Amino acid sequence: MMTQPVPAPAQSLARKIIIDLSIMTAIGLFLGFIGPFGTINAPLPLRLVSWVAFAWIGYAVYSPMSWLVNRLEASLHLPKPLLWLMGVAIATIPMTAIVWSIGFLPGPIQWPTLEQALTSYFYVFLIGGAVTAFFVLIESRQADGLTAGGAVQGDCPPFAEEEPTQASKFLPSFIDRLPPELGTGLLALEMEDHYVRAHTALGSDLVLMRLRDAMAELGGIEGMQVHRSWWVARGAVKDVKREGRNVRLVLGGGLEAPVSRANVQRLKDAGWI
């Protein structure tokens, strides 16, 4: 079987940014043409340039919220829509300040009145929230974990550190996507935006694919999707950590995988915890 090259993390990140900025450029051009919030009175070239610039700046301000929301969801087990609402509300504060300041360039920047500040914040929140919701919708269509399923049954391979032998042809096809130096001892898969981070006994690496697709290539490894963003191999679980209602699986190498509350009973029924 021919192996498929795994993009380096830097290359994968660059590809993601290029795709996202292309989408933001299209959104900016669309807003420039329709001229919302009174900008229709400005000349078309100025509207197009201004809205594309705002779109790119908005991407830089709002996109870090994805990382924050994913980490808070895993650690606090709060509803993701609530976390996104909070994230957008927070990111809108600096974005509003940027939009207000740019409006006065190249002259001196004036302090807004309370009414002006709230009005500007409301407009920026509407656009920022709508664009963020669009990206979240795209990611949610790529994400797995929205169904009750997610278990892959089979014999669990040993978490050894030896290099693949002739028997490697019987290993799950997903293993072929990993660098040889990571071995074959798969511990867990962790979703990171458009990518899957594969954790093995020897390290981790990013693979450009959806978690759902990665799980479909795990035939032969006994495991279960324990969280919207995590799949865990059964043989990798060393201990269970409980903090109130929060449950985490302690894996080999000290790696910890969060368990969503909806999956706690499933793990109990399966004898995992």
Side-chain angles (χ1 to χ4, degrees), residues 156 159 187 221-224 231-237 270-273:
C156 183
F159 293 100
L187 304 179
I221 300 181
E222 180 185 6
M224 186 179 296
W231 174 92
V232 173
R234 178 68 179 93
V237 180
W272 284 45
I273 58 178

Side-chain angles (χ1 to χ4, degrees), residues 117-172:
L118 292 177
T119 301
S120 297
Y121 180 90
F122 175 74
Y123 288 153
V124 174
F125 181 85
L126 283 181
I127 295 179
V131 175
T132 299
F134 173 75
F135 275 94
V136 171
L137 179 61
I138 294 177
E139 292 182 3
S140 67
R141 292 177 66 88
Q142 296 178 334
D144 190 71
L146 297 180
T147 63
V152 181
Q153 302 299 330
D155 295 329
C156 183
F159 293 100
E161 298 185 1
E162 69 274 8
E163 292 298 320
T165 63
Q166 290 182 349
S168 64
K169 63 182 179 180
F170 299 109
L171 292 172

